[in-house]
Amino acid sequence: MQASQGRSAGLGLALASAFAFGGSGVAAKPLIEAGLDPLHVVWLRVAGAALVMLPVAWRHRDLLRRKPALLAGFGLLAVAGVQAFYFASLSRIPVGVALLIEYLAPALVLGWVRFVQRRPVTRAAAAGVVLAVGGLACVVEVWAGLSFDALGLLFALGAACCQVGYFVLSDQGSADEDAADPLGVIAYGLLIGAAVLTVVARPWGMDWSLLATDADMGGTEVPAALLLGWIVLIATVVAYVTGVVSVRRLSPQVAGVVACLEAVIATVLAWVLLREHLSAPQIIGGAVVLIGAFIAQSSAPKAPSGPVAGGPVVGGPVAAGGASAGADLQHAEKGVVREEDSAVG
């Protein structure tokens, strides 16, 4: 009963994280169309969230001594890495292709568990990944802009690998007595990510006056500051907190498949709030992603022959080195709807 309740809570948190990450593109697009550079929007997002989480970082300052490698890994991979590689890929390949490759992360997590940890993976988890990735290809309409650029594809694959780091590091040592508090990990991850992105984005060249104006959201004028507040508080702080906690209650591979819903949520929100058109393949693809996520999250561990990486294991280690090691981000980065949404990929 307790395990079932923990899994249900984890699934709810994973869905909340997917919604929060998925809504970032809808808020970022009006800011980009108002004149802000996408990379500056990303920096505002991460730096703003880091400031919000600063009191949390101070409260958990002992983590700098206890878990320096975990904090550095989360900041470099789950926050800065996803963003940097994703933007680099967008400069060379279409956004749909970049998104599809980035969201290969759930499959890569399964590969890590199966071939690096040498642990069995349930068929349901594998089938869910295949369905989710296939449905995602329809959601982003990958065929609409196919082009081959080896370096661009490598950058996108780098973003996928960094997202794997998000899911694996989120569960690092969750069963240990000396487990790091997820809020502290997120706080320092954002601080480190903001520091790295400051060098990349160079925010001192940003037009700060744009934040005092209004931006057009589907025909409605919305204060730019309000949109930025949503991106910082909901699409970053809430998204990361619910996402990391969900990984600890589920498992990196299951939470990774559920995270594929971010692209579906982003597309639907763009349809509702930005008046963007939803094609039949996108609707069908969204349904397929939902089916894949449902199949993956409903998979259960096989009986006592040993731990299985396909189903939710409440409170147990599920990834690297016996106790997992890794995001939009997706997403980190995660929630991009179109090329204009690239600030939050």
Side-chain angles (χ1 to χ4, degrees):
M1 176 64 73
Q2 185 178 359
S4 177
Q5 291 177 344
R7 183 175 66 182
S8 298
L11 180 59
L13 289 169
L15 291 173
S17 178
F19 178 84
F21 274 128
S24 58
V26 175
K29 183 173 181 177
L31 294 177
I32 296 171
E33 292 181 339
L36 279 176
D37 184 272
L39 197 54
H40 288 159
V41 176
V42 172
W43 179 83
L44 286 169
R45 172 188 184 180
V46 176
L51 286 176
V52 172
M53 297 293 286
L54 197 56
V56 178
W58 176 254
R59 180 179 179 182
H60 296 283
R61 56 191 179 277
D62 62 308
L63 286 177
L64 290 171
R65 172 182 53 83
R66 291 170 46 218
K67 305 285 186 178
L70 173 61
L71 301 183
F74 195 86
L76 293 175
L77 295 177
V79 179
V82 173
Q83 304 286 353
F85 278 115
Y86 180 74
F87 276 107
S89 69
L90 284 184
S91 67
R92 308 185 71 94
I93 60 177
V95 63
V97 178
L99 267 178
L100 182 62
I101 295 175
E102 180 183 348
Y103 278 93
L104 290 176
L108 296 178
V109 170
L110 288 183
W112 173 274
V113 172
R114 179 66 182 87
F115 299 108
V116 177
Q117 288 189 273
R118 299 184 181 279
R119 297 170 57 207
V121 173
T122 61
R123 292 180 180 179
V129 167
V130 172
L131 283 174
V133 173
L136 186 62
C138 295
V139 171
V140 302
E141 294 185 327
V142 64
W143 56 83
L146 284 176
S147 65
F148 181 79
D149 184 291
L151 189 56
L153 294 177
L154 284 175
F155 284 147
L157 185 59
C161 291
C162 287
Q163 196 173 58
V164 171
Y166 162 73
F167 291 115
V168 180
L169 285 172
S170 294
D171 193 61
Q172 173 66 43
S174 60
D176 298 344
E177 292 184 1
D178 191 38
D181 188 286
L183 292 180
V185 174
I186 294 168
Y188 280 104
L190 288 169
L191 285 169
I192 294 171
V196 173
L197 288 172
T198 297
V199 178
V200 177
R202 301 177 182 178
W204 46 86
M206 180 173 57
D207 185 359
W208 293 86
S209 63
L210 291 174
L211 297 178
T213 63
D214 291 339
D216 178 69
M217 176 182 275
T220 302
E221 293 296 315
V222 180
L226 181 61
L227 294 174
L228 180 60
W230 173 276
I231 293 172
V232 169
L233 297 176
I234 305 299
T236 307
V237 175
V238 172
Y240 270 105
V241 170
T242 54
V244 169
V245 175
S246 74
V247 172
R248 294 196 174 193
R249 288 180 175 269
L250 295 170
S251 66
Q253 57 275 12
V254 173
V257 178
V258 177
C260 287
L261 294 174
E262 294 169 21
V264 179
I265 292 169
T267 304
V268 172
L269 289 177
W271 174 43
V272 174
L273 298 177
L274 301 181
R275 307 292 191 268
E276 292 189 352
H277 174 66
L278 264 184
S279 66
Q282 287 178 307
I283 296 174
I284 296 172
V288 173
V289 173
L290 287 171
I291 294 171
F294 175 78
I295 292 175
Q297 69 83 27
S298 62
S299 62
K302 293 179 181 176
S305 58
V308 173
V313 182
V314 179
V318 289
S324 315
D328 30 37
L329 238 7
Q330 115 210 279
H331 152 116
E333 211 154 227
K334 256 214 99 287
V336 178
V337 183
R338 292 287 187 270
E339 292 189 26
E340 297 92 339
D341 303 320
S342 58
V344 291

